[in-house]
Amino acid sequence: MRVDLRLNAIVDPERAGGRDLAELARLTAEGGATLIQLRDKHSETRAMIATARAIKQKLAPLGVPFVVNDRLDVALAAGADGVHLGQDDMAAEDARRLLGPGALIGLSVKNTAEAEAAPIGLIDYVGSGGVYATMSKQQKNPPIGPEGLARIITVLRRRAEQSGKALPVCGIAGIDASNAAPVIAAGAEGVAVISALSLAPDPTAAARALREVVDAMLAKRGT
Amino acid sequence: MRVDLRLNAIVDPERAGGRDLAELARLTAEGGATLIQLRDKHSETRAMIATARAIKQKLAPLGVPFVVNDRLDVALAAGADGVHLGQDDMAAEDARRLLGPGALIGLSVKNTAEAEAAPIGLIDYVGSGGVYATMSKQQKNPPIGPEGLARIITVLRRRAEQSGKALPVCGIAGIDASNAAPVIAAGAEGVAVISALSLAPDPTAAARALREVVDAMLAKRGT
């Protein structure tokens, strides 16, 4: 499934400043988020499903797709568009088999070794980083920077071309409107953003500002 | 799906004394466990799926069914026979819709209010407790004892009869061969056991001892 990865807004109860996640999803989508991801590592399953359903309902009139991080059970129960998988989550092969060809499957890729091993034929997009330092997630490795991102994208681009497939990549970690441009310059099709949207005074305005930077850089690149 | 609930062995990495869970499942099944449940609240999804697949493989030649606690995604990926759901897990309605009529769905019921609310038509069995004090799980409420279990079973039995359905119940928490008899005397069809099997020097012998008590009590009851 072809996905618009320009602004991937990730909503996480631990980085939402107490805001309602479904409302946050709606606000960022109205500002131009092109893909919403629910990431919740600690809630009970029933609560996650309720949140996912609420997000889906808010996004339906806006036509913005919605994936669930890791939890395919939550995605299935809530009727989300797909899942975003980390390297320790379900294998893409299993997820594709269980969700079918129409589902959206994203994969996190943190280095060139993971880029070489990524199951290109089974996934729709890649989230790659951590590009910059961030507070949203325990970072085990130092930030890779736009240079590290460019190296990963080079590998993914080569492999995607070999399989005759488009595989958009978004950079992730520590990205906001002030530092998004180098991420696109590094070859990414977009940015994945948590705190700079969820904790912004006005998430819609923050999304709009990010989209302006991303869109301008993509236009410059002639994409 | 009709399930033999006489000895429900639950394997949990936090209560396995470092033992391999698949091997533990096999050992208890060889001793007479009639249903195996994998309960894992903390591992990464990929690791859970690997464990579930290993359990399934070990149990296949023994014909003992296997359910996954909470995680329907893991159950689906590994091809388990079903799921066991707590009150904070996925709703039985969603699980049944996603797994189909042939899957095994169990539900935890902790009190008579939950017994009154249980979706009888959607589930195959109930695990009820905590009957005795246990170290296996943070117990929020005091043990209900065989008397409390009997009250819950009375409610479930009435409701199951009204829907013309058999709904076996197993007691759970702190059960071993020394205290299993009152659980069956209270009306349960079996016992769910973690530590008394997983941490036993010989899990097969421990399973056999538990089955002897359960089978003797069921025979006495004329079941």
Side-chain angles (χ1 to χ4, degrees):
Chain A
M1 186 171 149
R2 185 81 173 132
V3 58
D4 181 345
L5 212 55
R6 284 178 292 174
L7 181 54
N8 177 9
I10 301 176
V11 294
D12 182 328
E14 294 180 48
R15 298 297 291 172
R19 279 174 164 144
D20 177 77
L21 297 192
E23 181 58 11
L24 205 43
R26 186 187 69 78
L27 290 171
T28 59
E30 289 197 336
T34 53
L35 173 67
I36 307 289
Q37 177 192 136
L38 167 63
R39 186 175 80 183
D40 184 346
K41 289 294 183 187
H42 300 291
S43 298
E44 299 282 0
T45 302
R46 187 166 299 202
M48 281 188 209
I49 292 170
T51 301
R53 284 199 170 117
I55 291 173
K56 192 193 161 177
Q57 198 172 6
K58 292 265 191 183
L59 293 178
L62 301 169
V64 173
F66 162 49
V67 296
V68 178
N69 186 297
D70 180 15
R71 298 292 298 267
L72 184 132
D73 52 345
V74 174
L76 280 173
D81 298 289
V83 290
H84 183 88
L85 303 171
Q87 297 281 330
D88 292 328
D89 298 339
M90 186 182 288
E93 188 178 350
D94 291 323
R96 181 59 72 195
R97 177 171 55 83
L98 296 171
L99 294 176
L104 206 50
I105 298 180
L107 181 71
S108 292
V109 167
K110 293 185 295 296
N111 51 52
T112 52
E114 288 177 2
E116 290 287 1
I120 303 284
L122 297 167
I123 58 177
D124 300 295
Y125 74 92
V126 164
S128 189
V131 178
Y132 303 120
T134 172
M135 301 285 285
S136 293
K137 210 174 171 184
Q138 290 269 332
Q139 280 182 310
K140 289 175 203 154
N141 307 304
I144 59 173
E147 310 71 30
L149 178 64
R151 282 192 290 273
I152 291 168
I153 290 175
T154 300
V155 173
L156 292 169
R157 199 70 73 227
R158 170 177 49 77
R159 296 193 57 224
E161 272 165 25
Q162 282 164 357
S163 26
K165 174 167 179 167
L167 185 69
V169 178
C170 63
I172 184 164
I175 300 172
D176 58 31
S178 77
N179 63 16
V183 176
I184 307 302
E189 275 71 33
V191 294
V193 177
I194 308 173
S195 306
L197 292 171
S198 292
L199 302 178
D202 182 341
T204 304
R208 205 169 282 134
L210 269 157
R211 271 293 301 275
E212 271 173 32
V213 176
V214 170
D215 289 10
M217 287 299 295
L218 288 173
K220 213 162 152 186
R221 212 165 79 187
T223 310
Chain B
M1 184 170 151
R2 185 83 172 131
V3 59
D4 181 346
L5 212 54
R6 284 178 291 173
L7 180 55
N8 177 9
I10 302 177
V11 294
D12 182 327
E14 294 181 47
R15 297 299 290 172
R19 278 173 164 146
D20 177 76
L21 297 191
E23 181 59 10
L24 205 43
R26 185 185 70 78
L27 290 173
T28 59
E30 290 198 335
T34 53
L35 173 66
I36 307 289
Q37 178 192 137
L38 167 63
R39 186 175 81 183
D40 185 346
K41 289 295 185 187
H42 299 291
S43 298
E44 300 282 0
T45 301
R46 187 165 299 201
M48 281 187 209
I49 292 170
T51 301
R53 285 199 169 117
I55 291 173
K56 192 193 160 178
Q57 198 174 4
K58 293 264 193 185
L59 293 178
L62 301 169
V64 173
F66 162 50
V67 296
V68 178
N69 187 296
D70 181 16
R71 299 292 298 268
L72 184 131
D73 52 344
V74 174
L76 280 173
D81 298 289
V83 290
H84 183 89
L85 303 171
Q87 296 282 330
D88 292 328
D89 297 338
M90 184 181 290
E93 189 179 350
D94 291 323
R96 181 59 72 195
R97 176 171 55 84
L98 296 171
L99 293 177
L104 205 50
I105 298 181
L107 181 71
S108 292
V109 167
K110 293 184 294 295
N111 50 52
T112 52
E114 288 177 1
E116 290 288 1
I120 303 283
L122 297 166
I123 58 178
D124 301 295
Y125 74 93
V126 163
S128 189
V131 179
Y132 302 121
T134 172
M135 301 285 286
S136 293
K137 212 175 169 182
Q138 290 269 329
Q139 279 182 311
K140 290 174 200 155
N141 307 306
I144 58 174
E147 309 72 30
L149 178 64
R151 283 191 291 275
I152 291 169
I153 290 174
T154 300
V155 174
L156 291 170
R157 198 71 72 228
R158 170 176 51 77
R159 297 192 57 225
E161 271 166 24
Q162 282 165 358
S163 27
K165 174 169 178 164
L167 185 68
V169 178
C170 61
I172 183 165
I175 299 173
D176 58 32
S178 76
N179 62 16
V183 176
I184 306 303
E189 276 69 33
V191 294
V193 177
I194 308 174
S195 305
L197 292 172
S198 292
L199 301 178
D202 181 342
T204 303
R208 205 168 282 135
L210 269 156
R211 270 293 302 276
E212 271 172 31
V213 175
V214 170
D215 289 9
M217 287 299 296
L218 288 173
K220 212 163 153 185
R221 212 166 79 188
T223 310

